[in-house]
Amino acid sequence: MTALDVTIREQRPGDGDAVLAVVLAAFADDPTVAPLDADLARRDDSHGYVAELDGAVVGHVRITGCWIDAEHALAPALVLGPLSVVPDVQGRGVGTALVARAVAESEASGAPVVVLEGDPGYYSRLGFRPAAELGIAPASPRVPAPAFQAVRFAAYEHWMRGPIVYPETFWTHDAVGLRGDTLAEVRAALGE
Ligand SMILES: CC(C)(COP(=O)(O)OP(=O)(O)OC[C@H]1O[C@@H](n2cnc3c(N)ncnc32)[C@H](O)[C@@H]1OP(=O)(O)O)[C@@H](O)C(=O)NCCC(=O)NCCS
């Protein structure tokens, strides 16, 4: 299918309801994601970007501050997610355009890396590599290793190795890694 010519722009205060609807539609099978995104949106260290098509919001991505707990120092970093595209327009390049913008903004911020938890089949096409290659570990052992991915920028330095520390919002929503049957299924699917 042909790629859609969407406009990617920064999320504005008035976008809250439209973004909520997009996240709910994309994650119809996981109603915990929309409230997580709404709480992340209240953080000063979090930025959302929306994809607009004919004036309607059809996609959304978020980047939020986190840290690498390295031996030498605590290194500020960024985490990408959630990423949401409404089902009607999935498979037409909207997710790719949103990730490209989020990665570009992450680099422009001066961060050394942007990390995420997601399907390597999707994100490896967009420049993400296993974070383990950089010596960066996930915030929980409940994140399957192949799913924990990173893009490194010019600000990255070799000592920036260690576990990622997420801000409290991810923990209050129990949104770090996977649990139970879902964790087992994803581990099996990723060949862990
Ligand atoms: C995942 C999601 C954001 C992708 O957005 P999108 O706009 O549909 O993606 P794009 O159109 O940019 O890319 C689609 C391409 O990626 C491929 N793709 C999608 N998911 C994939 C996966 N898990 N593994 C490999 N390829 C995948 C598609 O087959 C398609 O390939 P093609 O271009 O060769 O046809 C969207 O499907 C979505 O919102 N899903 C529900 C929420 C979700 O799972 N978010 C991500 C959580 S990590």
Side-chain angles (χ1 to χ4, degrees):
M1 249 189 279
T2 50
L4 290 170
D5 189 14
V6 288
T7 301
I8 310 293
R9 63 163 175 82
E10 201 155 348
Q11 181 176 343
R12 298 192 282 253
D15 291 325
D17 288 349
V19 168
L20 186 67
V22 165
V23 180
L24 282 169
F27 288 93
D29 59 348
D30 186 355
T32 67
V33 180
L36 165 68
D37 188 73
D39 273 357
L40 288 172
R42 295 189 185 97
R43 299 184 60 91
D44 290 341
D45 61 355
S46 190
H47 299 274
Y49 301 89
V50 300
E52 260 187 356
L53 183 67
D54 299 330
V57 176
V58 296
H60 174 263
V61 68
R62 174 166 301 289
I63 49 176
T64 301
C66 62
W67 300 269
I68 304 164
D69 183 14
E71 282 190 19
H72 174 65
L74 197 58
L78 289 166
V79 54
L80 185 154
L83 169 67
S84 313
V85 175
V86 294
D88 283 1
V89 302
Q90 284 178 9
R92 302 191 63 186
V94 179
T96 297
L98 283 162
V99 172
R101 176 67 179 267
V103 169
E105 295 283 350
S106 299
E107 182 167 29
S109 78
V113 292
V114 58
V115 299
L116 61 76
E117 297 172 24
D119 190 332
Y122 184 68
Y123 290 102
S124 63
R125 300 154 47 119
L126 307 176
F128 283 83
R129 302 281 310 151
E133 290 180 3
L134 298 173
I136 299 175
S140 163
R142 294 176 294 92
V143 180
F148 192 57
Q149 300 158 78
V151 175
R152 176 179 64 174
F153 303 122
Y156 178 80
E157 295 178 26
H158 193 65
W159 58 266
M160 295 172 177
R161 307 165 68 83
I164 285 287
V165 179
Y166 287 138
E168 188 184 2
T169 308
F170 287 97
W171 291 101
T172 53
H173 284 264
D174 194 13
V176 182
L178 303 168
R179 293 185 190 276
D181 290 348
T182 312
L183 175 57
E185 283 161 21
V186 171
R187 277 194 172 136
L190 294 175
E192 269 213 310

